[in-house]
Amino acid sequence: MDITQEQWWQEAQQDSNAVILDVRTEDEWNQGIIPGAINIDIYKGQGFIYQVDELDKSKTYYIYCRSGGRSGQACNLMQQMGFAKTYNLVGGIMEWNGPVEMPEEK
């Protein structure tokens, strides 16, 4: 489900079950992330499916990418895999006005 950044961030902060998921490439990830995010690159195809399948399906996923396209795909894929609550950040990190931090080395 697509939601605005204000709603996305507010709900992610208030939700004790929230997981912020960044589906961009490692290069994009290294340019800055939304605080608390984990990274699983959707371009890894089957590798993305394997990694996502290991996540807890009972949690709520707040998903973003660069502009909202890949994260929208990730939401659809994850719903097909049995994840009930996935929220896409409209506009992605390009339109993000919230906090950004540099990721720690992987």
Side-chain angles (χ1 to χ4, degrees):
M1 181 198 319
D2 292 351
I3 56 177
T4 64
Q5 64 172 290
E6 292 81 11
Q7 188 183 2
W8 189 92
W9 182 243
Q10 196 172 13
E11 289 184 18
Q13 296 310 298
Q14 294 169 354
D15 185 346
S16 59
N17 258 339
V19 177
I20 297 176
L21 176 61
D22 180 328
V23 297
R24 300 176 300 158
T25 65
E26 192 172 342
D27 283 346
E28 290 172 303
W29 163 267
N30 288 329
Q31 294 168 18
I33 65 167
I34 294 174
I38 61 169
N39 178 229
I40 304 177
D41 180 358
I42 195 166
Y43 285 155
K44 289 210 161 96
Q46 196 61 44
F48 174 80
I49 304 284
Y50 289 141
Q51 283 184 275
V52 165
D53 206 33
E54 292 175 6
L55 299 174
D56 183 345
K57 288 183 173 63
S58 70
K59 295 205 178 285
T60 307
Y61 291 86
Y62 295 86
I63 307 170
Y64 74 95
C65 64
R66 195 175 70 88
S67 61
R70 283 174 281 173
S71 48
Q73 287 179 317
C75 284
N76 291 338
L77 261 173
M78 289 173 74
Q79 284 172 343
Q80 290 169 19
M81 294 169 68
F83 290 84
K85 293 182 273 191
T86 60
Y87 297 102
N88 181 31
L89 176 62
V90 173
I93 201 166
M94 278 180 26
E95 294 181 18
W96 178 248
N97 294 322
V100 172
E101 65 184 21
M102 295 312 291
E104 292 179 19
E105 292 296 312
K106 287 190 178 183

